[in-house]
């Protein structure tokens, strides 16, 4: 799915992603950061990112046909493709629950 526009909501810490088909999704900054496509895989499992509840999205840059580079205030940046944004939007509930479960089992927190 192609993206029509983004709307940043720094007060509520989410990025509204509106697709060309008029579907729109509110993706929290923390959710985007902990699901970065640049995360390393350890033993087939994605690296667990912790303590990102307060992370802010600083910049969105268009990277031609590749997608958009999101730059966060913790200095992390990654390129999110149109397809990856769609995947994050459609799988948000399950991915978020999986993340919270992993955090609980690891003994870490979002704080």
């Amino acid at each position: 799915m192609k993206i029509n526009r983004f709307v940043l909501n720094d007060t509520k810490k989410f990025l509204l992603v509106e697709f060309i088909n008029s579907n729109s999704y509110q993706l929290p900054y923390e959710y985007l950061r902990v699901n970065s496509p640049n995360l390393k895989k350890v033993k087939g499992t994605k690296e667990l990112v912790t303590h990102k509840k307060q992370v802010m999205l600083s910049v969105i840059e268009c990277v031609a046909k590749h997608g958009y580079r999101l730059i966060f205030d913790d200095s992390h940046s990654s390129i999110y493709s149109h397809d990856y944004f769609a995947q994050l939007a459609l799988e948000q509930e399950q991915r978020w629950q999986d993340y919270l479960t992993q955090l609980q089992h690891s003994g870490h927190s979002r704080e």
Side-chain angles (χ1 to χ4, degrees), residues 4 6 10 27 29 44-45 48 78 90 92 94-95 102 109:
N4 185 38
F6 295 111
D10 286 341
L27 303 177
Y29 297 160
T45 308
L48 181 62
S78 189
L90 296 173
Q92 183 176 2
Q94 183 61 50
R95 283 176 174 259
Q102 287 178 330
S109 77

Side-chain angles (χ1 to χ4, degrees), residues 31 88-101:
Y31 174 71
L88 289 175
L90 296 173
E91 298 173 359
Q92 183 176 2
E93 188 174 323
Q94 183 61 50
R95 283 176 174 259
W96 187 247
Q97 287 308 312
D98 291 347
Y99 173 69
L100 294 177
T101 300

Side-chain angles (χ1 to χ4, degrees), residues 6-23:
F6 295 111
V7 178
L8 290 140
N9 185 327
D10 286 341
T11 305
K12 295 186 178 179
K13 297 183 183 176
F14 71 78
L15 175 66
L16 179 74
V17 181
E18 183 181 290
F19 292 93
I20 299 269
N21 65 4
S22 298
N23 288 341

Side-chain angles (χ1 to χ4, degrees), residues 32-39 49 52 55-57 69-80:
L32 291 167
R33 174 61 181 87
V34 301
N35 284 285
S36 170
N38 279 0
L39 295 178
V49 177
K52 297 299 176 187
V55 75
M56 296 295 289
L57 181 56
R69 178 179 293 116
L70 302 187
I71 303 172
F72 296 90
D73 67 351
D74 66 353
S75 299
H76 178 80
S77 70
S78 189
I79 297 173
Y80 294 67

